[in-house]
Amino acid sequence: MAQLTSKVGLIVGVANKRSIAWAIAQAASAEGASLIVTYAGERLEDNVRELTATLPNVTVLPCDVTDDAQMDALFASITAEHGGLDFMLHGAAYAMREDLAAPFTQTSREGFRMALDISAYSLVALSRRAAPMMAERGGGSILTLSYLGSERVFTNYNVMGVAKAALEASVRYLASDLGPQGIRVNAISAGPIKTLAASGISGFSNILQTYRDRAPLRRTVETNEVADAAIFLLGPAGRAVTAEVLMVDAGFHAMGV
Ligand code: NAD
């Protein structure tokens, strides 16, 4: 039987067909889930509507994670139209381009605030709204997307690395808060993939090549491989896993010299 049959899931973070969140949306849909897929800003609405038109049982709604009123409206619509929520994928991240190029010491107060707000606090803000709906259904699963730059220094990853460290710590605190209600909170730390977000990191192709040269599997990962791991964490197979950062990176994280 499909792993997410009769489950309702919220997917935040689809920008285009290369988005990791899009691969996860497709996989969750194939496993039988009904989905609410959000877009951030009108510029992306057409893209997201066009992509999701290929899937059954999808509602498309706006969600800019810096806008509390929009997040409130999103969850009100989910309650009205779906009556509940079983899982949520958080794939939103943003840093100002200049902060991904200049030395880290040059990070501006505003750049730091924005990166941490959009890439880390948003998980807390969305989870707070999702949790009562999941609790009402006896539990749920929340998943976010991180990167090894949270623990190690990667050239030009800069403030995004700091945001990912905050994101992973937030996963643990949320897991502790929400666990008694049967809600699990996890992250996948994915290997580098050429997406819109990655295009903001100068020298990204060097990072990709380093993984091909040095990861135990001698390759990079694909979005559909991240999606397979996501289904494990979102679905019943991951029922005893929470507060975890699962590395889906061809093993690169384990390597020293
Ligand atoms: P992407 O550009 O397709 O996705 C990033 C998403 O963040 C976009 O959909 C964008 O609309 C959304 N976003 C930005 N600002 C937002 C806001 N204010 N409100 C709501 N959404 C907003 O790129 P991706 O690589 O698929 O990124 C998805 C997640 O995966 C990110 O958290 C990213 O850091 C993480 N990740 C990416 C890689 C990689 O190499 N691509 C590796 C590890 C982790």
Side-chain angles (χ1 to χ4, degrees), residues 40-78:
E42 281 168 21
R43 210 169 40 82
L44 291 174
E45 180 176 359
D46 288 349
N47 263 359
V48 173
R49 286 198 185 280
E50 207 172 296
L51 281 174
T52 55
T54 60
L55 302 180
N57 304 320
V58 177
T59 310
V60 176
L61 291 168
C63 178
D64 181 330
V65 296
T66 62
D67 184 339
D68 283 320
Q70 212 169 82
M71 282 190 283
D72 288 340
L74 167 68
F75 283 91
S77 296
I78 297 173

Side-chain angles (χ1 to χ4, degrees), residues 155-156 192 194 201-213:
T155 308
N156 297 326
K194 234 180 165 66
I201 299 160
S202 29
F204 189 75
S205 49
N206 294 337
I207 297 180
L208 285 172
Q209 192 53 46
T210 306
Y211 275 66
R212 289 187 198 106
D213 293 341

